[in-house]
Amino acid sequence: MTGLHFWQRLLLLRWHRQLKLFTKASSINCLVQKSYLSTSVSLLQQHQQLPFDLNDFPVERIRNFSIIAHVDHGKSTLADRLLEITGTIPKGDNNQVLDRLPVERERGITVKAQTASLIYKYKDQEYLLNLIDTPGHVDFHYEVSRSLAACHGVILLVDANQGVQAQTVANFYLAFEAELTIIPVINKIDLKNAQPDVVADQIHNLFDIDKKDILKISAKQGIGIEEVLAAVIERIPCPKHDRKKPLKAFVFDSWYDRYKGVVAHLAIYDGFMKTGDRITCASNGKTYELIEVGVMYPTQVPSGFLYAGQVGYAMMNMRNTNEAKIGDTFYHENIPVEALPGFKDATPMVFAGMFPSEQSEFPQMRSAIEKLTLNDRSVQIKIDNSPALGQGYRLGFLGLLHMDVFNQRLQQEFDASVIVTAPNVAFKVKIIGEKNIKHYGSNEITVLNPCLMPIPEIITEYREPMVDATVITPASYMASITQLCLDHRGRIKDQSYIDDTRVLIQVKFPLAEILVDFFDELKSLSSGYASFDYQDAGYEISDLVKLDFTLNGREVEELTMICHVSRARETARRVCEKLKNTIPRQQFVITVQGKVNQKVIAREDIKAYRKDVTAKCYGGDITRKMKLLKNQAEGKKKLRLIGNVEIPKDAFIKILKR
């Protein structure tokens, strides 16, 4: 370095010093990375390893149970406390652990049934408890029925403040018909206005349950939770299955994972299954290799094995949830067994069109709907096309809340902006004429889209869907609620007092009458105290008509609807008035008409913009002014013939929202 200039030596010295610092920092960084990696691996191993061995739990020490209740009676809170007490999750500020969807947390409702495996030590014995948290709203009745198929008992949860509600009654009979053990539990006894004794009387009078069998708890405060776990172990029977028999696994739920494919929820009836086994589906005969087997603790944790009586999940390289058919049976390859009896598929009750806000967004909407329906098997989907809204889909839902939740999940999870048309139900018609029957393929047609209703001349019979509804209300509101039921074409079947203050009313409704505003009117009349539940009751013959709407003689297919004869004129007037108030004025008159069988039953006119063509005629002959006005009228008449009336999308949405 002696031959170098001063500035060269200084540059080399600085470079040498930076090299030392870099080497030291690199070594520290390597140590940090190594420590981080080792910590991550240990955490991953800790996460992937169960703190117990499933082989240690014979069927005698397994209990499979579910929690069923009305909306907001505390199912998810009770599930949180059970998970905490059994050590499945650490104690702390846990809130709706099993409600994993954003829409569930926002609305405070359970949409998708979730399972969790718990370990509880009772009388010096450890028990494996498989808990299934179910939805409480009537629209998700299908989720409850699927969950109960994997259970041997249920916790019937009732709010100490609100008492027995309509969905409580429906869930009780659902469990009773399945011959499941029922543990009645009164929750929220810590509330100021709680009346546990009054609610206990209601449970006794309605369900004939002994009061001494009713447990009283506060899930939020953790009061009485130990007694609930003890009752689950003592009262609910163990699964009557055998490990030594050939494998027989029952699929009661499935969902789609974007990275791992289809995940099937299984209840093992007989035998056992392990990772690497080849199992066959009874319905389609396809064989799959198990790539992962485990339990929910409370999230997916691989266990390698699942034994008779246990509930868990399995991944087997399925790419379509249709292959994991709900109610299907799986068995080991080349060792066939008798398939277990399945249960009914979900029957859509409400149908609506779904279209993108802009047609350029249709591919995005299609992808979002396809992905979401993989995790919601109860949605029925068909391609639809609208002259005003373009290409879209017609979807079938279990109810209005189900439709609303589906739309919200599209926006939250896939950022899809869609337009949902007015909901309608599926009608059935019988037609005559060999040519017509050959064209439609049958003499009985199910009409999902009102635009596709055949002409009245070939229809011999109309049938509409009916529901058996249960309304529970304070006795002081009984008269007004009875009148509300009659106004919606309901037939009162029975009325009975639950206790001195509450009445149970059983009504038969046309489904179309309770779709739109019945529930809101019921809550308004009863100051929020009445509850409502319904079940499918088949079809009945009815007097229906197809109601069309036209703008200047041109039919607007999106507004076509089917309604009862007694509702036709009232509905036509209401829609025509909304069209008049929402469609912007044009340079010509727009005539809005509601028609039944080409007969006009309602009409509104949207006035044209009118320019004063005589404003610049200062005096002069009156014939000059009349000539100018006549020319203007002729021009507007010509405009009306060739003018195209377009309904703005925002106005169209207002009409559809009633």
Side-chain angles (χ1 to χ4, degrees):
M1 294 184 55
T2 56
L4 297 175
H5 291 289
F6 171 77
W7 66 268
Q8 291 175 322
R9 292 200 303 269
L10 182 62
L11 185 62
L12 285 173
L13 183 63
R14 286 183 178 177
W15 177 81
H16 184 65
R17 185 179 298 171
Q18 289 178 358
L19 182 62
K20 280 187 175 181
L21 291 174
F22 178 77
T23 306
K24 185 177 180 181
S26 299
S27 61
I28 294 173
N29 191 30
C30 288
L31 289 173
V32 171
Q33 287 184 353
K34 185 176 181 181
S35 174
Y36 174 77
L37 287 174
S38 61
T39 304
S40 301
V41 170
S42 63
L43 287 173
L44 187 62
Q45 289 175 346
Q46 182 182 359
H47 173 72
Q48 290 185 343
Q49 290 181 353
L50 290 172
F52 53 87
D53 188 352
L54 293 177
N55 191 32
D56 295 338
F57 296 94
V59 290
E60 293 79 13
R61 288 193 281 123
I62 297 175
R63 301 292 185 270
N64 299 327
F65 69 101
S66 179
I67 304 176
I68 56 176
H70 191 78
V71 177
D72 199 30
H73 278 207
K75 299 179 304 301
S76 298
T77 306
L78 176 58
D80 290 343
R81 298 294 86 76
L82 294 175
L83 292 170
E84 286 181 355
I85 287 181
T86 55
T88 308
I89 58 175
K91 292 185 179 181
D93 189 19
N94 294 306
N95 186 20
Q96 298 178 336
V97 173
L98 296 184
D99 289 343
R100 300 187 175 103
L101 298 176
V103 65
E104 293 179 319
R105 293 182 174 273
E106 286 180 12
R107 292 173 174 253
I109 60 174
T110 302
V111 172
K112 184 75 174 171
Q114 299 288 350
T115 65
S117 296
L118 324 172
I119 302 297
Y120 184 65
K121 192 171 185 179
Y122 180 71
K123 292 183 179 180
D124 297 328
Q125 288 280 354
E126 286 191 338
Y127 290 82
L128 176 62
L129 311 179
N130 294 308
L131 160 68
I132 302 177
D133 181 31
T134 61
H137 195 274
V138 58
D139 281 9
F140 304 101
H141 185 78
Y142 175 63
E143 288 282 335
V144 179
S145 64
R146 292 192 317 186
S147 302
L148 296 186
C151 296
H152 302 91
V154 298
I155 295 175
L156 182 66
L157 202 62
V158 184
D159 192 315
N161 191 19
Q162 299 180 22
V164 175
Q165 300 292 313
Q167 188 68 9
T168 310
V169 178
N171 284 333
F172 170 82
Y173 285 109
L174 197 65
F176 184 77
E177 291 171 2
E179 299 181 352
L180 303 179
T181 301
I182 299 172
I183 302 175
V185 177
I186 298 176
N187 189 24
K188 303 184 183 180
I189 61 172
D190 59 312
L191 294 180
K192 183 179 179 180
N193 297 324
Q195 297 178 310
D197 294 333
V198 174
V199 176
D201 290 333
Q202 295 175 4
I203 294 173
H204 173 70
N205 296 335
L206 270 177
F207 308 132
D208 195 24
I209 294 176
D210 198 329
K211 292 183 182 179
K212 67 180 182 181
D213 295 331
I214 301 175
L215 303 178
K216 298 176 183 179
I217 69 166
S218 170
K220 187 174 183 179
Q221 302 297 331
I223 301 171
I225 307 301
E226 298 276 0
E227 287 77 3
V228 173
L229 288 168
V232 168
I233 294 172
E234 291 179 352
R235 300 188 198 179
I236 295 177
C238 63
K240 296 179 180 178
H241 307 314
D242 191 350
R243 289 189 185 183
K244 298 179 181 179
K245 291 183 178 180
L247 174 67
K248 185 186 292 186
F250 178 79
V251 181
F252 66 92
D253 196 7
S254 65
W255 72 94
Y256 186 82
D257 187 287
R258 66 178 66 185
Y259 303 110
K260 299 181 180 180
V262 177
V263 183
H265 252 144
L266 300 172
I268 311 300
Y269 273 61
D270 292 319
F272 68 92
M273 63 194 307
K274 67 180 185 300
T275 305
D277 285 354
R278 293 182 62 81
I279 61 174
T280 302
C281 178
S283 63
N284 58 27
K286 291 185 178 180
T287 300
Y288 306 91
E289 182 178 349
L290 293 172
I291 60 173
E292 186 176 317
V293 175
V295 296
M296 306 297 291
Y297 190 74
T299 56
Q300 298 175 22
V301 181
S303 62
F305 286 83
L306 280 177
Y307 300 95
Q310 297 175 0
V311 175
Y313 71 91
M315 300 180 189
M316 53 194 87
N317 279 329
M318 284 185 181
R319 294 302 170 190
N320 192 337
T321 52
N322 292 328
E323 297 179 45
K325 188 177 179 182
I326 305 302
D328 212 340
T329 303
F330 281 90
Y331 54 84
H332 277 134
E333 186 180 18
N334 300 325
I335 310 178
V337 295
E338 184 179 355
L340 294 162
F343 46 91
K344 296 180 180 179
D345 290 334
T347 303
M349 306 284 281
V350 178
F351 297 85
M354 193 168 283
F355 302 88
S357 299
E358 299 292 339
Q359 272 302 298
S360 60
E361 299 176 358
F362 176 76
Q364 179 187 354
M365 187 192 79
R366 178 179 59 193
S367 175
I369 290 177
E370 288 175 352
K371 290 177 181 177
L372 190 52
T373 50
L374 287 174
N375 289 324
D376 194 346
R377 298 286 299 275
S378 54
V379 178
Q380 187 182 92
I381 178 171
K382 290 186 178 180
I383 294 178
D384 196 8
N385 197 8
S386 163
L389 299 176
Q391 194 171 6
Y393 289 96
R394 178 155 291 269
L395 304 178
F397 302 96
L398 301 178
L400 282 182
L401 178 64
H402 186 205
M403 182 179 78
D404 193 22
V405 166
F406 188 89
N407 187 22
Q408 187 172 343
R409 290 185 67 185
L410 276 178
Q411 295 176 1
Q412 288 182 343
E413 299 175 26
F414 301 97
D415 195 26
S417 177
V418 298
I419 297 173
V420 182
T421 64
N424 64 279
V425 300
F427 297 95
K428 291 185 177 181
V429 296
K430 286 187 176 180
I431 59 175
I432 56 174
E434 293 183 6
K435 186 177 180 180
N436 299 321
I437 294 173
K438 186 177 180 181
H439 174 73
Y440 287 103
S442 174
N443 67 332
E444 184 175 277
I445 306 169
T446 300
V447 181
L448 304 180
N449 190 341
C451 298
L452 303 180
M453 174 73 79
I455 58 175
E457 288 76 14
I458 67 172
I459 299 176
T460 60
E461 180 181 286
Y462 294 90
R463 299 169 68 196
E464 65 177 335
M466 308 294 291
V467 293
D468 286 326
T470 302
V471 180
I472 295 180
T473 176
S476 57
Y477 302 107
M478 186 175 69
S480 57
I481 288 178
T482 301
Q483 186 59 47
L484 175 67
C485 295
L486 296 176
D487 291 342
H488 284 75
R489 295 198 290 133
R491 300 198 303 268
I492 308 296
K493 296 169 60 179
D494 189 24
Q495 293 180 348
S496 59
Y497 278 84
I498 299 175
D499 52 30
D500 295 338
T501 60
R502 305 182 74 201
V503 182
L504 185 149
I505 307 173
Q506 293 181 335
V507 195
K508 194 163 192 176
F509 282 108
L511 178 59
E513 291 289 334
I514 63 173
L515 272 187
V516 180
D517 53 3
F518 177 81
F519 188 71
D520 293 337
E521 291 181 18
L522 178 70
K523 286 293 184 181
S524 178
L525 283 177
S526 64
S527 301
Y529 288 107
S531 61
F532 180 70
D533 177 84
Y534 64 87
Q535 294 179 345
D536 184 20
Y539 282 77
E540 281 190 4
I541 297 175
S542 183
D543 194 1
L544 305 174
V545 292
K546 179 182 176 183
L547 186 57
D548 298 309
F549 293 92
T550 61
L551 298 177
N552 283 346
R554 298 180 184 180
E555 187 174 326
V556 184
E557 292 185 356
E558 292 75 26
L559 298 177
T560 302
M561 58 185 69
I562 300 171
C563 62
H564 193 264
V565 171
S566 62
R567 295 273 193 260
R569 191 175 298 276
E570 174 191 349
T571 304
R573 285 178 178 172
R574 175 173 54 83
V575 175
C576 286
E577 287 178 3
K578 285 200 172 185
L579 285 169
K580 179 183 177 181
N581 295 329
T582 53
I583 296 178
R585 294 170 66 185
Q586 306 288 333
Q587 294 294 336
F588 51 90
V589 176
I590 302 174
T591 301
V592 182
Q593 294 177 324
K595 299 181 179 180
V596 172
N597 298 333
Q598 300 304 316
K599 180 181 178 182
V600 178
I601 60 174
R603 171 174 173 156
E604 294 287 346
D605 288 329
I606 304 174
K607 293 182 179 180
Y609 285 119
R610 183 176 182 273
K611 183 178 180 181
D612 189 0
V613 294
T614 64
K616 294 183 180 181
C617 294
Y618 303 103
D621 192 356
I622 188 64
T623 56
R624 172 64 178 166
K625 296 182 180 181
M626 296 303 296
K627 182 179 179 182
L628 291 173
L629 289 172
K630 185 177 179 181
N631 289 341
Q632 184 191 55
E634 290 293 330
K636 289 184 178 295
K637 188 175 180 181
K638 187 181 294 185
L639 269 177
R640 188 178 184 187
L641 292 175
I642 63 174
N644 184 24
V645 182
E646 293 186 359
I647 306 177
K649 280 192 169 60
D650 57 344
F652 192 79
I653 295 170
K654 291 177 184 177
I655 298 166
L656 296 178
K657 286 185 176 179
R658 300 166 296 280

